[in-house]
Amino acid sequence: MSYFLNDNFLLQSDIAVVLYNDYAKDLPIIDYHNHLSPQQITENKNFENITKVWLKGDHYKWRAMRAYGIDEYFITGNASDEDKFRKWAEVVPNTLRNPLFHWTHMELKNPFDVNEYLNAASADRIYKETTEKLQQENFRPQSLLNNYNVEMLGTTDDPTDDLSFHQSMRQQNKEIDVKPSFRPDKIFAISKGDSFRDYVRKLSEVSKVEISDLNTLLEALQKRVNFFDDMGCVASDHGLLYIPQPGKHSLKEINHVFFTVLLGDDEEAKDVEEGYTHYILTELCKMYYEKGWAQQFHLGALRNNNTIKLKEIGTDTGYDSIGDYPQAQALSAFLNNLENQQKLTKTILYNLNPADNAVFGSMTGNFQGEGIKGKIQFGSAWWFLDQLDGMEQQINTLSNLGLISTFIGMLTDSRSFLSFPRHEYFRRLLCNLFAEDIRKGLLPNDLKWVGGIISDICYHNAKSYFKN
């Protein structure tokens, strides 16, 4: 049985091969949104084994293992790393047509040079070979990033973070630009009781602002925005079900409830949560505009569906799915409000429900800005959609309703140092799509012209977009 992952993987014509090899393959990677650990990057320690770097925290693989009936003991439980890898290897042959089949073998090929199928028979040999390589100098975190030709990383960081690892990284490694991204989701959780109060206290401590009302809260957040900006931040990020609406409560009422919540009274917190979030988010977006940052909105996830598992193993463990929330009206009103105040910064909208692709794709055209190519972006296919079909749908929607030539391309949104072949996956698909249009006579057979557009999507547009 021949191995499927050859040099022309996903490239279905000679034109696609030329476009990929000449205009996409060797470009640096700007991974402007991921969840890599700044501490791991900075400390640059070898990973103990492939399970530690590859399976730990990967809820994509965890969901597949559960679907195959694997005991949780081998997924998030106390099984040995080797046994967890064996169980994953047992599942891999049954992931055909799931993107995990492609990703798994691409990530074994690069960087480990493993060119065979992972299955029960090959598991022990591959575990031993990859674990041995991971002990080498050129398999440390920073070397892995260099291997993938990563030029810039945008990590995801809480406003209370001291960013000490980013500072160390900037001093020790000039080849990779590791930038923090401002992710203030916890400050919106006004109905979360003691955990919210604990967070406000922490924010107060790091900002050196005594937070007692909305004004002092915004003062504290502004200080953290200033600090992040000084540390090279060029983007914020927000994970929301949908863009919040102003709600029925006045600002005075919201301020009163915020004050009572800080005193320990949560009775009215849920009632004002959306209006409170709308107000704070709006004020934050004005701060981002003043700094010239891009703001990212990840919208549409239905999180923590399995409450039993939530109690047992916590959040971000593979029990989220696609939500079907109304998106259009609140999103339009929010962007329009910022536009009317001349405070709308560069914005990236990520959609999780494919039924809303056209909603998001058409929305971007309402608020573009002079002098900025693609100021408002329909972001790359995200989470459940970052597979061949989902990426193709996103690209086609953007092409039909906007300008694919201004697109800032792919990102990993991952916690794994081995996820960067997703950029290769995207680039191969992109080149093949353009090549098929050329073959059908839908685009000019001018590879320099088309190749230049592809290079822009893969690298140059993002490099320009995230300048600080």
Side-chain angles (χ1 to χ4, degrees):
M1 179 173 60
S2 62
Y3 189 60
F4 79 111
L5 202 60
N6 56 40
D7 289 343
N8 293 340
F9 175 60
L10 300 184
L11 306 174
Q12 299 172 358
S13 67
D14 291 342
I15 296 174
V17 171
V18 172
L19 289 175
Y20 176 68
N21 286 316
D22 290 1
Y23 296 98
K25 179 182 178 182
D26 296 325
L27 289 171
I29 286 174
I30 295 181
D31 198 57
Y32 50 88
H33 174 69
N34 61 71
H35 297 271
L36 292 180
S37 164
Q39 181 173 354
Q40 287 182 324
I41 299 172
T42 303
E43 293 180 347
N44 203 31
K45 296 178 180 177
N46 290 98
F47 292 97
E48 185 180 341
N49 54 57
I50 191 172
T51 300
K52 287 284 196 293
V53 68
W54 204 41
L55 298 183
K56 184 179 179 181
D58 191 336
H59 49 82
Y60 288 88
K61 295 184 178 73
W62 294 353
R63 285 172 70 95
M65 294 172 79
R66 291 176 188 131
Y68 197 65
I70 300 297
D71 193 297
E72 194 68 28
Y73 173 74
F74 296 102
I75 303 173
T76 60
N78 294 322
S80 70
D81 288 344
E82 192 165 4
D83 283 343
K84 287 180 177 180
F85 184 82
R86 288 185 181 123
K87 285 296 182 181
W88 170 237
E90 180 184 329
V91 174
V92 169
N94 300 283
T95 63
L96 293 178
R97 302 202 80 239
N98 185 292
L100 283 165
F101 184 76
H102 289 162
W103 294 345
T104 292
H105 292 99
M106 292 179 76
E107 290 164 10
L108 287 174
K109 183 174 183 178
N110 185 10
F112 298 108
D113 199 29
V114 172
N115 293 284
E116 63 175 309
Y117 294 110
L118 177 61
N119 52 39
S122 65
D124 286 354
R125 182 174 64 258
I126 291 175
Y127 183 86
K128 183 175 183 294
E129 178 182 341
T130 55
T131 296
E132 287 176 354
K133 287 184 176 179
L134 283 167
Q135 309 318 304
Q136 299 172 11
E137 182 71 25
N138 60 336
F139 281 83
R140 292 175 183 264
Q142 292 180 27
S143 295
L144 289 171
L145 297 176
N146 286 325
N147 167 73
Y148 293 122
N149 199 16
V150 176
E151 180 177 295
M152 188 272 267
L153 286 175
T155 59
T156 304
D157 309 280
D158 190 274
T160 62
D161 197 307
D162 66 7
L163 303 183
S164 59
F165 295 110
H166 289 85
Q167 189 167 14
S168 297
M169 184 65 189
R170 291 172 76 182
Q171 294 170 350
Q172 67 177 255
N173 191 325
K174 301 300 182 182
E175 295 180 17
I176 306 168
D177 189 6
V178 182
K179 295 183 179 295
S181 298
F182 192 81
R183 178 77 174 246
D185 289 2
K186 291 180 181 178
I187 201 58
F188 302 131
I190 191 173
S191 65
K192 295 299 183 183
D194 288 338
S195 65
F196 178 72
R197 283 182 282 275
D198 289 342
Y199 184 74
V200 172
R201 279 192 288 270
K202 186 175 181 181
L203 178 61
S204 182
E205 289 172 5
V206 299
S207 65
K208 296 181 172 56
V209 174
E210 185 176 347
I211 299 173
S212 58
D213 57 14
L214 295 180
N215 286 335
T216 49
L217 172 60
L218 291 175
E219 182 184 348
L221 288 170
Q222 180 69 71
K223 286 197 171 187
R224 299 313 292 169
V225 167
N226 293 344
F227 172 66
F228 269 62
D229 192 63
D230 290 342
M231 293 297 295
C233 180
V234 293
S236 65
D237 182 47
H238 305 271
L240 302 165
L241 305 180
Y242 46 82
I243 292 294
Q245 300 190 59
K248 61 183 180 180
H249 296 87
S250 69
L251 186 57
K252 182 178 180 180
E253 290 171 322
I254 295 171
N255 190 55
H256 173 72
V257 174
F258 178 72
F259 176 74
T260 60
V261 165
L262 294 185
L263 294 178
D265 182 357
D266 298 318
E267 184 176 352
E268 298 180 89
K270 197 68 179 176
D271 294 338
V272 304
E273 188 164 36
E274 185 161 5
Y276 162 80
T277 301
H278 179 274
Y279 174 69
I280 298 300
L281 183 62
T282 300
E283 295 305 306
L284 280 170
C285 290
K286 294 176 185 178
M287 298 178 198
Y288 307 153
Y289 174 85
E290 297 298 334
K291 297 299 184 185
W293 293 0
Q295 57 192 12
Q296 302 175 87
F297 297 105
H298 287 82
L299 305 174
L302 182 62
R303 298 179 186 272
N304 304 319
N305 293 268
N306 190 325
T307 54
I308 291 177
K309 293 300 183 182
L310 176 63
K311 292 177 182 176
E312 289 179 356
I313 55 180
T315 60
D316 301 321
T317 52
Y319 293 97
D320 304 328
S321 57
I322 294 171
D324 58 353
Y325 314 102
Q327 299 285 357
Q329 288 184 326
L331 177 57
S332 175
F334 186 81
L335 296 176
N336 189 53
N337 179 39
L338 291 169
E339 177 83 344
N340 284 337
Q341 298 181 61
Q342 298 184 341
K343 298 293 184 181
L344 180 59
T345 193
K346 292 176 286 188
T347 303
I348 310 168
L349 305 174
Y350 302 94
N351 171 48
L352 195 55
N353 188 339
D356 291 331
N357 276 351
V359 169
F360 280 66
S362 62
M363 185 66 68
T364 63
N366 299 325
F367 302 103
Q368 299 293 354
E370 296 179 4
I372 304 175
K373 287 200 309 181
K375 175 182 176 180
I376 314 298
Q377 292 276 328
F378 178 26
S380 65
W382 166 50
W383 200 344
F384 292 105
L385 305 183
D386 61 355
Q387 22 73 11
L388 294 179
D389 184 55
M391 289 193 289
E392 185 171 341
Q393 287 184 39
Q394 186 270 345
I395 290 169
N396 286 336
T397 299
L398 176 54
S399 299
N400 287 325
L401 301 179
L403 293 180
I404 188 66
S405 61
T406 66
F407 183 36
I408 57 174
M410 191 57 176
L411 49 90
T412 62
D413 192 25
S414 175
R415 292 167 175 81
S416 173
F417 284 85
L418 302 184
S419 292
F420 290 93
R422 293 184 194 180
H423 283 268
E424 177 188 343
Y425 201 54
F426 168 82
R427 292 176 179 186
R428 287 176 177 271
L429 167 67
L430 181 72
C431 291
N432 194 67
L433 284 175
F434 274 92
E436 288 303 293
D437 281 353
I438 291 172
R439 289 201 321 123
K440 294 173 183 176
L442 300 175
L443 290 178
N445 191 359
D446 185 329
L447 300 194
K448 184 176 181 180
W449 178 4
V450 175
I453 297 292
I454 288 172
S455 295
D456 285 344
I457 296 169
C458 293
Y459 172 70
H460 297 290
N461 289 342
K463 185 174 179 64
S464 176
Y465 196 81
F466 291 101
K467 281 183 178 177
N468 64 342

